[in-house]
Amino acid sequence: MFIPSPSPASPEETAAWIFLFDQTGLVIDPETGQVPILKPYQAKALARNGLYPFGTLYGTPCCCGTLVDSLPESGLSIFELREFYRSAEEALRLAIACGRFIADLHTNAHFCGRCGTLTQIMEKDHGRVCPACGFHAYPRISPAVIMSVTRGDEILLARGTRFPKREMFSVLAGFTAPGETLEESVAREVYEETRIRVKNVQYVKSQPWPFPDSLMIGFTADYESGKINIDPKEIIEAQWFKVDQLPLIPDRYTLSGQMIRDFRMKQNK
Ligand SMILES: [Zn+2]
């Protein structure tokens, strides 16, 4: 189980899971195939801007940081983050997401975005504050909506231009625009990508998605009107699929994969 800590408690001398990130990778211990467990001082030289406590995973403290430019001789190695995340269990995935958001904050807001002064760590929250102008920086979390749009026993799925597997179909998704409610984002994204109008937009569940800083927020919606007419910049193909004729869909660890399976389960009841 992963329990995030709401405040950056002072680093302890006890051994901790050390989550060190670079742009696309995570440091692992090749002997265990896991995130290394070290005393924070043993890992300090590997972190560019320090190590930050952020909770406990299976009762052991967690620290995160951004890896120095190249991994020094340490017996550790870098593993592709997405690949590691895919095979990790739920608690570890949540810890990875939390660690990534917090490590990125301390690197990206190391200097004040408003006046350029070196910022300081906040005592009570995961954040940084500028001693010169008072600007506060918090972990960046970008909300993205993801929606299961259905019409009777059919679900609207699309192949995106950026999918790693070109033959895979997924539910539609997109980032929330400034000033929008989540429900408005759902309706707008579906309309922009397929020219379909939806109604009855209902929240289902969410998932932190650390690639690099999203929170995926899942909804269901009912078809209202329109014929599929795709935006070719975003989508290669979109179709209504009957529950018993689903194409290749995303893995179960993704919210999209879970929502399509939820639809199938509900239909097959
Ligand atoms: Zn400032």
Side-chain angles (χ1 to χ4, degrees):
M1 190 161 121
F2 171 63
I3 303 169
S5 155
S7 66
S10 59
E12 294 172 32
E13 285 308 298
T14 53
W17 300 95
I18 305 292
F19 292 81
L20 279 167
F21 301 90
D22 68 5
Q23 290 266 14
T24 58
L26 175 69
V27 169
I28 65 151
D29 180 344
E31 277 191 19
T32 59
Q34 278 303 335
V35 174
I37 294 182
L38 298 166
K39 293 192 172 167
Y41 75 85
Q42 295 173 300
K44 240 176 196 150
L46 305 178
R48 195 196 297 180
N49 301 307
L51 284 169
Y52 301 90
F54 66 94
T56 58
L57 176 63
Y58 306 123
T60 299
C62 300
C63 285
C64 65
T66 301
L67 184 65
V68 289
D69 285 338
S70 62
L71 188 61
E73 193 58 52
S74 60
L76 302 172
S77 56
I78 302 175
F79 203 83
E80 219 273 309
L81 179 62
R82 213 163 172 136
E83 207 49 48
F84 188 80
Y85 188 82
R86 180 197 307 271
S87 58
E89 50 193 295
E90 177 75 11
L92 179 56
R93 282 204 297 268
L94 291 171
I96 290 172
C98 186
R100 174 111 206 236
F101 295 152
I102 289 167
D104 280 359
L105 162 80
H106 290 291
T107 295
N108 298 343
H110 198 65
F111 293 97
C112 175
R114 189 192 276 164
C115 77
T117 304
L118 185 66
T119 55
Q120 295 169 348
I121 303 164
M122 281 183 205
E123 276 175 27
K124 289 195 178 144
D125 296 305
H126 290 297
R128 299 188 71 94
V129 60
C130 174
C133 76
F135 183 73
H136 288 58
Y138 293 98
R140 192 170 76 173
I141 298 171
S142 307
V145 290
I146 179 160
M147 43 278 178
S148 168
V149 177
T150 56
R151 184 174 71 178
D153 65 344
E154 297 174 310
I155 186 167
L156 180 61
L157 301 178
R159 283 198 296 147
T161 51
R162 284 166 296 189
F163 284 5
K165 286 184 196 157
R166 303 277 283 185
E167 70 277 22
M168 191 175 76
F169 280 78
S170 176
V171 293
L172 298 172
F175 285 106
T176 298
E180 248 179 2
T181 66
L182 297 172
E183 290 81 359
E184 286 166 351
S185 305
V186 169
R188 175 186 53 74
E189 280 288 340
V190 176
Y191 185 74
E192 277 179 7
E193 295 186 358
T194 61
R195 289 291 179 259
I196 297 290
R197 296 277 186 199
V198 296
K199 59 183 179 184
N200 302 335
V201 176
Q202 300 281 344
Y203 170 75
V204 189
K205 52 182 157 181
S206 62
Q207 180 183 45
W209 188 248
F211 305 102
D213 56 24
S214 299
L215 176 65
M216 305 302 290
I217 308 162
F219 291 86
T220 55
D222 294 334
Y223 169 82
E224 185 177 63
S225 63
K227 270 192 162 169
I228 293 174
N229 182 5
I230 58 162
D231 172 2
K233 275 195 226 113
E234 300 274 336
I235 283 173
I236 301 166
E237 184 186 358
Q239 275 190 51
W240 292 103
F241 286 93
K242 287 216 179 286
V243 65
D244 53 357
Q245 290 168 352
L246 292 177
L248 180 67
I249 60 173
D251 289 341
R252 198 180 289 274
Y253 80 94
T254 65
L255 200 50
S256 171
Q258 291 167 25
M259 288 167 70
I260 299 170
R261 285 170 179 85
D262 287 350
F263 160 76
R264 186 166 62 193
M265 214 158 70
K266 213 168 121 196
Q267 291 291 317
N268 287 338
K269 255 186 192 164

Coordinates of all heavy atoms in Angstrom, one line a residue, residues 112-117 119 130-135, ligand 1:
C112 N 12.7 30.7 -9.2 CA 11.4 31.3 -9.3 C 11.0 31.6 -10.8 O 11.8 32.2 -11.5 CB 11.3 32.6 -8.5 SG 9.8 33.5 -8.7
G113 N 9.8 31.1 -11.2 CA 9.4 31.4 -12.6 C 9.0 32.8 -12.8 O 8.9 33.2 -14.0
R114 N 8.8 33.6 -11.7 CA 8.4 35.0 -11.9 C 9.7 35.9 -11.9 O 9.7 36.8 -12.7 CB 7.5 35.4 -10.8 CG 6.8 36.7 -11.0 CD 6.1 37.2 -9.7 NE 4.8 36.6 -9.6 CZ 4.1 36.6 -8.5 NH1 4.6 37.1 -7.4 NH2 2.9 36.1 -8.4
C115 N 10.6 35.7 -10.9 CA 11.7 36.6 -10.9 C 13.1 36.0 -11.0 O 14.1 36.7 -11.0 CB 11.6 37.5 -9.6 SG 12.1 36.6 -8.1
G116 N 13.2 34.7 -11.0 CA 14.5 34.0 -11.3 C 15.3 33.7 -10.0 O 16.4 33.1 -10.1
T117 N 14.8 34.1 -8.9 CA 15.6 33.8 -7.6 C 15.5 32.4 -7.2 O 14.6 31.7 -7.6 CB 14.9 34.7 -6.5 OG1 14.9 36.0 -6.8 CG2 15.7 34.5 -5.2
T119 N 14.6 29.3 -5.3 CA 13.4 29.1 -4.4 C 13.8 28.3 -3.2 O 14.9 27.6 -3.2 CB 12.3 28.5 -5.1 OG1 12.7 27.3 -5.7 CG2 11.7 29.4 -6.2
C130 N 9.4 31.5 -3.3 CA 10.4 32.4 -3.6 C 10.7 33.4 -2.5 O 9.7 34.1 -2.1 CB 10.1 33.2 -4.9 SG 11.3 34.4 -5.3
P131 N 11.9 33.5 -1.9 CA 12.2 34.4 -0.8 C 12.2 35.9 -1.3 O 12.0 36.8 -0.4 CB 13.6 34.0 -0.4 CG 14.2 33.4 -1.5 CD 13.1 32.8 -2.3
A132 N 12.3 36.1 -2.6 CA 12.3 37.5 -3.0 C 11.0 38.1 -3.3 O 10.6 39.2 -2.8 CB 13.2 37.6 -4.3
C133 N 10.1 37.3 -4.1 CA 8.8 37.9 -4.5 C 7.6 37.2 -3.9 O 6.5 37.5 -4.1 CB 8.7 37.9 -6.0 SG 8.4 36.4 -6.8
G134 N 7.9 36.1 -3.2 CA 6.8 35.4 -2.5 C 6.0 34.4 -3.4 O 5.0 33.8 -2.9
F135 N 6.4 34.2 -4.6 CA 5.7 33.3 -5.5 C 5.8 31.9 -5.0 O 6.8 31.4 -4.5 CB 6.4 33.4 -6.9 CG 5.7 32.5 -7.9 CD1 4.5 32.9 -8.5 CD2 6.3 31.3 -8.4 CE1 3.8 32.1 -9.4 CE2 5.7 30.6 -9.3 CZ 4.4 31.0 -9.9
Ligands
ZN1 ZN 10.4 35.3 -7.3

